Structures are given as C-alpha cells and as structure tokens.
C-alpha cells in the first residue's frame, strides 16, 4: 500500500492523527470494533489506558492476521465512554499508540458513547486498512 498523509496548513495541526489519508492498494480490510477482551472473552484492565492498550493490540492482531501492518491503517474510530477521561489520558494513550502502531497515523475520530457492548468496556476501536 502507499499512503499519503495529508495535513493542510489551513487546518489545526494534526497531533496523533492525520486529517486525510490517500491510500492506494489492492485489498481493503475492514476491522471490527475491538475492546479490551482477553482470549477468554473477558474485559481485561480497569483503567482507560490499560483497556486502550488491549483494544489496540486486539485491533492490530486482527490486522496482522489479515496480512497487514499498522502502517496500512487508513482510518480508525475510537469510541470512548468518557471523553473527558480520554482527553485527560491523551498523552499516555498517544504513547501507547506510538509504541504499538508507530507514527504513521491514520485518519481518526474519537466519539463519546453512552456505553459499549461489554458493560465494563471503556473504549473500542474499529477501522479499515488498505493492503498492497
């Protein structure tokens, strides 16, 4: 895949995301929403950063199983049950992202939701990737 990250100077600086991603490739992988479920189907972690790390790990595991890598991500949506907590933890969450997925940021959005499928879940990530 080739991915051109587009961050126009007319928009606010893109920190931890890209305003647009122009992706070319031959396969599109749609990634289901991933929470902090462990291999037994139980929500792991009782902090937002802990759950974010597990949810991102789960998303990247699905992507790798489909033949992709973090650099292939074109779009990710983060659903959080407490946007104020997400903002408060943003530097730590950004560090987790960089450690697991690198600095090739996809187009992203963070959306507050009332609750997620698993009542204990604080965060869920979904997205799509374009593979060569």
């Amino acid at each position: 895949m080739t991915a051109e990250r587009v961050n126009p100077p007319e928009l606010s600086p893109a920190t931890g995301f890209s305003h647009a991603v122009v992706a070319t490739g031959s396969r599109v992988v749609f990634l289901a929403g991933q929470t902090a479920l462990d291999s037994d189907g139980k929500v792991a972690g009782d902090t937002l950063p802990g759950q974010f790390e597990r949810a991102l790990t789960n998303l990247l595991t699905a992507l790798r199983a489909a033949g992709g890598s973090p650099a292939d991500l074109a779009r990710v949506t983060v659903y959080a049950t407490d946007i104020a907590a997400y903002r408060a933890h943003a530097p730590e969450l950004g560090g987790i992202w960089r450690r697991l997925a690198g600095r090739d940021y996809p187009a992203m959005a963070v959306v507050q939701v009332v609750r997620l499928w698993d009542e204990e879940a604080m965060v869920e990530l979904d997205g799509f990737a374009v593979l060569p």
Side-chain angles (χ1 to χ4, degrees):
M1 173 194 78
T2 61
E4 176 190 358
R5 270 83 174 148
V6 180
N7 293 299
E10 300 86 5
L11 298 177
S12 65
T15 304
F17 70 98
S18 293
H19 283 290
V21 176
V22 179
T24 57
S26 61
R27 294 190 310 146
V28 177
V29 178
F30 295 92
L31 298 161
Q34 297 293 326
T35 61
L37 292 181
D38 62 19
S39 59
D40 293 325
K42 306 285 187 218
V43 173
D46 56 0
T47 66
L48 179 58
Q51 286 197 16
F52 180 86
E53 182 166 355
R54 182 60 189 234
L56 179 56
T57 297
N58 290 348
L59 187 81
L60 296 176
T61 298
L63 176 58
R64 287 186 178 101
S69 71
D72 297 323
L73 287 168
R75 175 89 171 116
V76 170
T77 302
V78 178
Y79 304 93
T81 59
D82 184 343
I83 203 77
Y86 190 93
R87 288 178 64 103
H89 289 285
E92 185 176 358
L93 301 177
I96 293 167
W97 181 279
R98 288 186 297 278
R99 181 169 43 82
L100 297 178
R103 292 182 177 270
D104 292 326
Y105 299 112
M108 295 180 75
V110 179
V111 179
Q112 181 167 316
V113 296
V114 174
R115 68 162 285 206
L116 296 165
W117 182 264
D118 295 298
E119 195 168 332
E120 305 85 16
M122 298 176 212
V123 65
E124 181 170 336
L125 289 80
D126 73 7
F128 70 88
V130 180
L131 281 57

